[in-house]
Amino acid sequence: MTSISLQRLCLFVFLFSTIFSNSQEFQGKAFYMSKTSVDMSNFGRPNMTEEQRKRMEDRLKTMFQKTFVLTFNRTESVYKLEEKLEAPGQRGGRFTAIMGGAVDGVKYKNVKDKALLNELELFGKLFLVKEDLPKLEWKITGETKQIGGYTCNKATAIKTWKDFDLTALRRQPAREENEENNETVEEEEQPKIEVTAWYTMQIPVNQGPGDYWGLPGLILEVNTDDTTILCSKIILNPEDKATIKRPTKGKVVSKEEYVEIATQKFQEMRENFRRGGQRGGRG
């Protein structure tokens, strides 16, 4: 082997090792603003004044506008609420007290193992919701747009699962009343929620916010019927790399088990507040 060939071989090995090393160490952070709209017509008392309804609506808007941080590498990611100081006077109120029992935790995704772990705190008790990573059948439309300097492609899918949300607080009492009256309780139909996602192949990782993944690039925006998740900032290969670890704390339950536990707890809280209000009114 000539000296020139040997030099070329050494250069090739060096370049291959550098590319592989960078690939293994690649990491990024994406910041997302999540906004969820809530149908206010089903909330509050029938005799609630417009001023009271407006205050509740403002609290709900604040409660459902959150900033999350997605820390990711090529196979794993951790999605969690960005820690912020609470503004003075932001807490308080019956509804805030009820919903304050649920605390957003860490959501871990592993696209290689198809694992999804969600660490959640409910009224002081820690749960680890464990399930297979849900898969969406994405259809790439060919449309493109710019998001923060990144060229994004559009994809759509139909989501057939629904996370625990405030509608559970309205459905449960109605179901219990029907059961007490021996009325037929119809099983709820499988939800079919249209999802629109925008992803960029400039960041070729199979990751995204929340439960979303499965596209050939980082998902920067997600839209459903009532929620918009939009990326506001991206940091690639930060100097201070974070450790992406599987959460291990909490009682291990399935999503179905957690939904049942959470629904029961919120129902108990609502009944306690209702009884307290009735006693206060009579006094």
Side-chain angles (χ1 to χ4, degrees), residues 153-165:
N153 299 279
K154 182 179 179 181
T156 61
I158 300 298
K159 179 179 174 181
T160 57
W161 70 90
K162 194 171 181 64
D163 297 327
F164 175 74
D165 61 11

Side-chain angles (χ1 to χ4, degrees), residues 14-33:
F14 173 76
L15 290 174
F16 178 81
S17 300
T18 303
I19 292 171
F20 180 78
S21 175
N22 290 340
S23 173
Q24 292 294 95
E25 296 176 1
F26 173 78
Q27 190 180 105
K29 280 189 175 182
F31 295 77
Y32 294 87
M33 173 64 75

Side-chain angles (χ1 to χ4, degrees), residues 23-28 70-78 108-116 133 204-208 213-214 244 246:
S23 173
Q24 292 294 95
E25 296 176 1
F26 173 78
Q27 190 180 105
L70 178 74
T71 303
F72 60 89
N73 57 33
R74 298 201 182 276
T75 59
E76 299 174 288
S77 69
V78 167
Y108 168 89
K109 293 200 300 287
N110 188 312
V111 298
K112 182 179 179 182
D113 297 341
K114 304 296 186 291
L116 176 63
L133 196 58
V205 296
N206 194 357
Q207 294 287 353
W213 68 289
I244 301 177
R246 290 174 180 256

Side-chain angles (χ1 to χ4, degrees), residues 1 29 37 55 62 85 98 167 178 196 211-212 215 268:
M1 182 180 292
K29 280 189 175 182
S37 60
R55 283 202 301 268
T62 302
L85 290 175
I98 292 177
T167 57
N178 288 338
T196 299
D211 296 346
Y212 300 103
L215 287 165
E268 290 173 0

Side-chain angles (χ1 to χ4, degrees), residues 211-224:
D211 296 346
Y212 300 103
W213 68 289
L215 287 165
L218 181 65
I219 299 173
L220 300 190
E221 182 178 340
V222 174
N223 293 287
T224 63

Side-chain angles (χ1 to χ4, degrees), residues 246-264:
R246 290 174 180 256
T248 58
K249 298 179 181 179
K251 180 182 178 182
V252 178
V253 294
S254 66
K255 179 189 284 187
E256 291 74 16
E257 290 171 330
Y258 178 78
V259 168
E260 184 177 348
I261 294 168
T263 302
Q264 182 179 351

Side-chain angles (χ1 to χ4, degrees), residues 131-144:
E131 58 184 313
D132 294 333
L133 196 58
K135 185 177 180 181
L136 291 172
E137 298 296 331
W138 293 107
K139 295 180 181 179
I140 298 174
T141 68
E143 297 176 62
T144 63

